[in-house]
Amino acid sequence: MITTDILIIGAGPTGLFAVFEAGLLKLKCHIIDALPQPGGQLAELYPKKPIFDIPGYPSVMAGELVDNLMEQIKQFQPGFTLNERAETIERLEDGTFIVTTNKGTRHHAKAVAIAGGLGSFEPRKPLIDNIASYEEKGVEYFVKNPELFRDKRIVIAGGGDSALDWSIFLSDVASEVTLVHRRNEFRGALDSVEKVQELKKLGRINLITPAEVTTINGNGRVESLTIDVESESQTIETDYFIPLFGLTPKLGPIADWGLEIEKNAIKVNNALDYQTNIEGIYAIGDVNTYPGKLKLILCGFHEATLMCQSVYNRLNPGKKYVLKYTTVSGVDGFDGTRKEAEKQVVKAIE
């Protein structure tokens, strides 16, 4: 059983920043996310795309923002349950909660903050009749461990940043990388497109366009793929097929937790603390809805801050918390580290 003060469901930017705000209040956090790494959409869908509306950053790459948030919360030693989806919730008599994932991992928390963005993300699967029978038998929708593909033949399908970036990365890992896309043009960062072009010329990436994988062949696991190239079909041998067509957001099992839902979003009390209709359960970021809601990262940061203040007051009734600016109070991490401004030097002018 994993125990924590606040269990955060969703490791996107809002969920990550909530760890920092909770840490300032000496509240411990643990995060559950269905994706294999923190960052949510920023890490999985567009890590190399710039974001222009983060205060203090005229422009910041999505992946860089995730890295900065992870560095910011490192002092507060959050726990992570990744590649698992929050499945069930049970409220105990003392007002605390037990949340269990689809893999049976149990978490005991004093408060729950749902920061699931647009919901739990599931891979968009290509329309190939027998693909389900090859899942985890050569078909992988995420690159969880690049070493799995060491010295293997792989075929990646897709035309966005994820397909381009993993083709580039795995060209140094796999024995053979083939990138298949249904168009000649790619929708991705220019430097990634140019890098793939360069690796193609060097013979390190096989590029097949315009083309589409239509059939998976094999006896118990992937052995080859049939690819339609314009009006002809060809078969290539491979050890792994990695279709990277993005993610589909779904509210998932959370929709059955007894929360008030409106248009696939969770209704909250935005006049106070973004609490749901169930005391002790909050929803922050894109997953919630209220009058005037804006689905912006900076709004999620604001909601996370007020949520943490509410949890503190709920867990410490009658105890007044005096808000101090971090420039004055500094930041004390759970790991014993301290960040603070340089102290003023007191010295007379002679």
Side-chain angles (χ1 to χ4, degrees), residues 48-238:
K48 290 190 174 182
K49 288 189 177 178
I51 303 173
F52 300 104
D53 59 358
I54 302 298
Y57 287 91
S59 173
V60 60
M61 292 295 182
E64 182 185 352
L65 179 59
V66 173
D67 291 342
N68 289 344
L69 286 165
M70 290 294 289
E71 179 65 26
Q72 186 177 29
I73 66 176
K74 187 167 64 174
Q75 278 183 289
F76 298 120
Q77 301 178 312
F80 288 91
T81 299
L82 298 175
N83 204 32
E84 298 187 30
R85 184 183 63 238
E87 195 83 14
T88 62
I89 190 168
E90 176 189 0
R91 183 169 183 173
L92 306 182
E93 291 184 3
D94 61 359
T96 62
F97 301 90
I98 301 290
V99 174
T100 306
T101 70
N102 60 317
K103 295 185 179 179
T105 308
R106 288 161 57 83
H107 308 75
H108 184 207
K110 299 172 184 175
V112 174
I114 303 169
L118 300 174
S120 62
F121 288 97
E122 299 179 5
R124 287 194 177 98
K125 302 180 181 182
L127 299 176
I128 300 174
D129 289 340
N130 59 346
I131 193 168
S133 60
Y134 288 102
E135 291 172 355
E136 298 186 357
K137 299 175 183 177
V139 171
E140 301 288 339
Y141 298 109
F142 301 104
V143 180
K144 302 170 188 174
N145 177 16
E147 285 301 311
L148 178 67
F149 310 106
R150 174 69 64 182
D151 300 325
K152 302 295 185 181
R153 300 165 299 177
I154 65 171
V155 174
I156 295 175
D161 282 313
S162 187
L164 291 165
D165 292 345
W166 280 120
S167 295
I168 294 167
F169 184 90
L170 292 174
S171 68
D172 290 325
V173 176
S175 62
E176 182 179 297
V177 175
T178 300
L179 176 59
V180 179
H181 183 39
R182 59 185 177 181
R183 298 187 182 91
N184 291 319
E185 301 80 19
F186 287 83
R187 296 174 62 91
L190 181 59
D191 64 328
S192 296
V193 176
E194 292 176 343
K195 182 65 174 177
V196 168
Q197 180 69 35
E198 178 186 345
L199 291 170
K200 176 192 173 185
K201 291 179 179 177
L202 294 173
R204 294 175 55 194
I205 290 180
N206 304 318
L207 187 61
I208 306 178
T209 62
E212 190 172 1
V213 176
T214 56
T215 308
I216 302 172
N217 311 301
N219 183 17
R221 66 168 292 113
V222 174
E223 295 176 0
S224 67
L225 302 174
T226 301
I227 302 175
D228 284 356
V229 186
E230 295 182 335
S231 58
E232 298 181 356
S233 292
Q234 67 180 61
T235 298
I236 63 172
E237 295 182 352
T238 189

Side-chain angles (χ1 to χ4, degrees), residues 114 251 254-255 259-268 276-277 281-283 286-290:
I114 303 169
L251 203 52
I254 291 174
L259 302 168
E260 194 173 353
I261 308 293
E262 182 179 285
K263 295 181 179 178
N264 207 41
I266 302 170
K267 292 185 70 173
V268 295
T276 67
N277 58 303
I281 301 180
Y282 301 76
D286 288 356
V287 77
N288 74 15
T289 185
Y290 52 83

